[in-house]
Amino acid sequence: MQQHADQYIDGSWRPSLGGEALTVFNPATEQPIATVPAGTAADVDAAVAAARAAARGWGTTTREQRLAPLTRLRDGLVERQEEIAALISAEQGSPIGFARTVQAGLPVAVASSYVELLAGYEFQETVGNSTVLAEPAGVVAAITPWNYPLHQIVAKVVPALAAGCTVVLKPAEDTPLVARLFAELVAAAGFPAGVFNLVTGVGAVAGAALAAHPEVDLVSFTGSTAVGRAIGEAAGRGIKKVALELGGKSANVVLPGADLARAVNVNAANVFTNSGQTCTAWSRLLVHQDQYEEAVELAAKAAAKYRPGDPGAVGTRMGPVVNAKQRDRVRGYIESGLAQGARLAAGGAEAPADLPIGYYVQPTVLADVTPGMTVAQEEIFGPVLSILAYRDEEHALEIANGTEYGLAGGVWAADEATAVAFARRMDTGQVHINGGAFNPLAPFGGYKSSGVGRELGRHGLEEFLQTKSLQF
Ligand code: NAD
């Protein structure tokens, strides 16, 4: 088992200032695979001081000076893609096929998009007698979760560096190994010392110290709404910019006349992939009452295709969830749904019979779910689909908008215009029309309690910029 004792601060790997370690487990075997330092407030201080010292120099580089190391970083992500996939599969539980295409592949697409965007971005415009300059926001704290561990790092760190910001990254406790690999790629890409720093550690210690640090100018956080709220409060007190990507309870609405079978199959893939640990997961399927039983049958059939299994085996479509706490939490939600009157159409709260070891949860379909049930309101973050019936379009809209969240969603209709008209009335940041594909250039982020700010594409770059106007 590898035992790491260092943090990446000010351009080199140096011993953590605390003596504690975090153990990383493989969720499929429940065995420890490595330890990393549990960083302290003193580690965070050192990392933020390095980022602050580097901020003026990096913030005044030319576009070309930033493009060169960013391009090498992107190339490193390509070169080590296979290693990245294996590492994420081991520490997070993603099936190896999904880890290759999405967990390791998406960061390449996102990093490439920022190399292209930076090359063409106008950091200056003229407005009347003013020249408006887009300047870097300064020192960025990036706090990331474990569900798409490298994607979430790249979606924050790469645009921040492209904008001319310096960064301190605090990755999730469960997935620090891929964060360390990312730091190796940054080191090899030749960024000046202090431009990027990594502190691994516990959220309540290292994360909290980083988010509240007076020398941090912007906090970019992805994770739970509860922690996001605390970070937002601390940022408010410090007058810091904040970007929060939080939870979701997204609705996939199938309007009468749509291709029901396709809509249900795509929904199953959406909610069972990554064991349901996707903030944009369509965890609520809304179908017209006349098609309800047909939809439940289709969903149960689709769920059977996501039999959980060894993430290392080629062909496995669903692995375990990330840790025992998440497994227990997800099972608790299934039990709560059944206790509140939902009908079990597939799966269940028990461990899959053939998998006594590993944090596995059965792909589960709950029917007869009504909007007031806990499973229809709270983010489960597991492979659980709730199916709700609606009477008419207005009722469907009321249910779709009837949670505290608003991150994503889907609409299916016989024609695009009908779907778009419905999507315009949804209180949510992204809507897929008739199964439209994920677009890594489209702004990503939430309405309501799903967050503030946008990631990805041009909007994601602009989160890390602030404006100055010069009057002539
Ligand atoms: P979390 O919000 O506790 O953790 C996310 C990140 O925040 C981690 O890096 C963690 O170390 C850090 N953190 C935790 N407490 C902190 C604090 N007080 N100050 C600063 N940073 C802190 O999420 P979790 O416990 O890993 O998962 C719990 C639930 O959150 C999940 O079940 C799911 O509902 C939700 N979640 C959502 C997303 C998303 O992409 N929106 C991702 C992960 C988890």
Side-chain angles (χ1 to χ4, degrees):
M1 185 169 77
Q2 280 189 307
Q3 291 180 305
H4 304 285
D6 47 3
Q7 310 276 20
Y8 185 72
I9 294 174
D10 204 14
S12 65
W13 291 94
R14 53 164 82 168
S16 177
L17 298 170
E20 305 276 304
L22 284 176
T23 304
V24 185
F25 290 89
N26 178 323
T29 63
E30 304 184 23
Q31 293 303 307
I33 52 176
T35 65
V36 298
T40 62
D43 286 320
V44 168
D45 277 343
V48 173
R52 171 58 63 202
R56 173 97 41 209
W58 183 248
T60 50
T61 47
T62 63
R63 174 202 317 269
E64 287 69 31
Q65 284 168 326
R66 297 203 292 282
L67 269 172
L70 278 166
T71 306
R72 287 193 290 271
L73 175 60
R74 189 273 315 273
D75 293 346
L77 288 167
V78 175
E79 277 157 29
R80 295 181 72 178
Q81 204 166 334
E82 193 56 39
E83 195 186 335
I84 289 167
L87 197 53
I88 295 179
S89 184
E91 67 178 344
Q92 192 264 0
S94 275
I96 189 66
F98 182 75
R100 282 190 186 115
T101 52
V102 177
Q103 296 284 17
L106 185 54
V108 170
V110 171
S112 297
S113 77
Y114 280 114
V115 167
E116 273 173 42
L117 266 164
L118 176 58
Y121 193 77
E122 292 298 339
F123 286 88
Q124 189 173 319
E125 63 170 327
T126 303
V127 181
N129 65 318
S130 302
T131 296
V132 180
L133 307 176
E135 297 191 336
V139 174
V140 169
I143 301 177
T144 55
W146 41 262
N147 51 329
Y148 292 87
L150 183 60
H151 166 65
Q152 283 140 339
I153 289 171
V154 167
K156 295 183 190 313
V157 176
V158 171
L161 298 178
C165 295
T166 60
V167 179
V168 178
L169 168 67
K170 207 304 282 172
E173 292 87 327
D174 291 291
T175 52
L177 300 179
V178 74
R180 290 178 61 90
L181 192 154
F182 180 79
E184 285 172 23
L185 293 176
V186 171
F191 289 89
V195 167
F196 171 82
N197 308 272
L198 168 72
V199 176
T200 55
V202 174
V205 180
L210 181 58
H213 202 292
E215 285 294 324
V216 165
D217 299 301
L218 185 157
V219 184
S220 179
F221 169 81
T222 299
S224 63
T225 299
V227 174
R229 189 169 281 125
I231 285 178
E233 283 168 5
R237 275 193 295 278
I239 323 285
K240 297 179 198 315
K241 278 186 88 177
V242 67
L244 305 170
E245 299 294 340
L246 310 175
K249 191 71 202 176
S250 297
N252 181 32
V253 183
V254 188
L255 296 174
D259 182 344
L260 180 68
R262 185 155 169 260
V264 174
N265 279 319
V266 172
N267 199 145
N270 179 299
V271 75
F272 297 136
T273 293
N274 208 29
S275 301
Q277 303 165 122
T278 303
C279 44
T280 53
W282 299 341
S283 51
R284 296 182 298 150
L285 170 62
L286 274 55
V287 287
H288 190 270
Q289 57 192 16
D290 292 349
Q291 294 184 299
Y292 191 76
E293 282 312 319
E294 191 186 348
V296 170
E297 260 173 53
L298 285 165
K301 233 183 251 167
K305 293 187 215 142
Y306 293 85
R307 235 181 103 222
D310 175 8
V314 179
T316 296
R317 292 176 91 174
M318 200 174 85
V321 298
V322 73
N323 58 35
K325 189 174 144 209
Q326 284 296 121
R327 176 198 56 195
D328 296 345
R329 196 169 168 272
V330 176
R331 288 185 184 169
Y333 274 117
I334 298 171
E335 280 161 4
S336 113
L338 298 176
Q340 289 177 13
R343 163 167 54 111
L344 192 63
E350 313 75 38
D354 55 336
L355 294 164
I357 294 170
Y359 309 125
Y360 291 98
V361 180
Q362 298 185 56
T364 296
V365 177
L366 297 176
D368 301 344
V369 173
T370 52
M373 289 182 188
T374 308
V375 290
Q377 290 294 326
E378 294 185 11
E379 182 174 53
I380 298 175
F381 229 61
V384 182
L385 175 65
S386 295
I387 312 186
L388 294 96
Y390 66 82
R391 293 184 300 275
D392 53 31
E393 233 179 81
E394 287 310 310
H395 190 213
L397 188 71
E398 183 191 316
I399 299 173
N401 287 339
T403 76
E404 67 164 311
Y405 295 112
L407 189 56
V411 183
W412 303 72
D415 62 281
E416 226 167 78
T418 305
V420 170
F422 190 93
R424 281 179 174 277
R425 298 202 291 158
M426 289 170 83
D427 301 331
T428 193
Q430 283 212 340
V431 185
H432 294 256
I433 305 293
N434 284 333
F438 176 76
N439 175 6
L441 286 172
F444 178 95
Y447 281 31
K448 303 193 284 185
S449 296
S450 287
V452 291
R454 293 293 179 269
E455 290 194 320
L456 303 180
R458 180 174 60 77
H459 296 78
L461 179 67
E462 289 172 350
E463 283 291 328
F464 297 102
L465 294 169
Q466 57 187 340
T467 54
K468 176 185 286 174
S469 42
L470 310 178
Q471 281 61 245
F472 294 90

